[in-house]
Amino acid sequence: DAGITQSPRHKVTETGTPVTLRCHQTENHRYMYWYRQDPGHGLRLIHYSYGVKDTDKGEVSDGYSVSRSKTEDFLLTLESATSSQTSVYFCAISPGRKGAGETQYFGPGTRLLVL
Amino acid sequence: KNEVEQSPQNLTAQEGEFITINCSYSVGISALHWLQQHPGGGIVSLFMLSSGKKKHGRLIATINIQEKHSSLHITASHPRDSAVYICAVRKETSGSRLTFGEGTQLTVNP
């Protein structure tokens, strides 16, 4: 299994509070991704990174920010959590070699409940 | 309309049955992925296809680029195959990013 961990694995927070989720990898992969998974929507990309300090928005980026200061860590921050951000959050990584069709490897997920 | 559609949404089978899950997409792609999400939530990649067919154990994945369609087959199904199966495509215009279908919930009864 690819070495990907997410922390925390579960979190309950209140509306309006800031929340940071961490994704840590030991594979030295170039690309890292944050997804959210909700019933009826499947996995949706929030933000992704293609290198240290290089990030870009996905399809559901509003209300989220990310940072990648070193290869192994990709942080997702909810500046002011809202109930609509209650979800399961997955981190994924891929090697970033040239050419299409790379496999993505997923972390175990973080369940976030915003009350 | 979603760019990636899976059918059926839910599928119940008896142990030993041959199972087919379908994925249709409406965009140009460079690759198609099949993933499995276990009941505990973990997601693993099963196949990555850009043409033809791939086989791993009892799982077979096929893709028809002209028809924009892929199928995942499970032969001699077993209760441990119960999971959500997710189709995802890498669009020609989106670099490394994937676009996902909503998944097919498979339950195999003993």
Side-chain angles (χ1 to χ4, degrees), chain B residues 11-27:
Chain B
L11 180 57
T12 300
Q14 288 301 120
E15 184 173 356
E17 287 184 357
F18 180 83
I19 289 162
T20 296
I21 299 170
N22 296 299
C23 176
S24 296
Y25 52 93
S26 57
V27 293

Side-chain angles (χ1 to χ4, degrees), chain B residues 17-81:
Chain B
E17 287 184 357
F18 180 83
I19 289 162
T20 296
I21 299 170
N22 296 299
C23 176
S24 296
Y25 52 93
S26 57
V27 293
I29 70 169
S30 54
L32 183 142
H33 298 248
W34 282 101
L35 305 102
Q36 180 192 54
Q37 185 167 24
H38 301 296
I43 300 172
V44 296
S45 181
L46 298 174
F47 295 105
M48 183 175 64
L49 295 162
S50 54
S51 65
K53 176 169 123 175
K54 286 191 176 180
K55 184 175 189 286
H56 185 258
R58 294 180 295 105
L59 301 178
I60 304 165
T62 64
I63 188 168
N64 185 318
I65 296 293
Q66 287 73 29
E67 294 186 4
K68 291 186 162 60
H69 182 268
S70 176
S71 293
L72 177 68
H73 306 286
I74 304 175
T75 61
S77 59
H78 190 276
R80 65 176 174 266
D81 297 326

Side-chain angles (χ1 to χ4, degrees), chain A residues 6-115:
Chain A
Q6 292 183 229
S7 58
R9 294 292 313 280
H10 304 270
K11 186 167 182 69
V12 180
T13 192
E14 294 186 348
T15 299
T17 60
V19 176
T20 295
L21 308 182
R22 180 182 183 232
C23 178
H24 178 77
Q25 58 140 333
T26 57
E27 305 296 320
N28 200 34
H29 283 356
R30 179 181 170 201
Y31 282 81
M32 298 184 77
Y33 312 82
W34 276 109
Y35 296 98
R36 60 178 291 174
Q37 186 178 41
D38 305 288
H41 288 280
L43 286 154
R44 292 181 291 174
L45 182 65
I46 305 171
H47 282 279
Y48 69 104
S49 169
Y50 46 96
V52 173
K53 295 192 180 354
D54 292 322
T55 65
D56 205 349
K57 295 179 180 180
E59 59 185 299
V60 289
S61 59
D62 287 349
Y64 301 94
S65 62
V66 289
S67 66
R68 192 167 177 202
S69 59
K70 43 188 178 176
T71 299
E72 56 265 36
D73 288 326
F74 192 32
L75 304 181
L76 177 70
T77 297
L78 291 64
E79 302 289 349
S80 178
T82 68
S83 58
S84 64
Q85 293 175 312
T86 291
S87 188
V88 181
Y89 291 85
F90 286 95
C91 174
I93 64 174
S94 64
R97 287 186 291 268
K98 281 190 177 179
E102 292 182 342
T103 296
Q104 288 188 14
Y105 301 93
F106 286 79
T110 294
R111 291 187 175 273
L112 176 66
L113 174 60
V114 184
L115 299 174

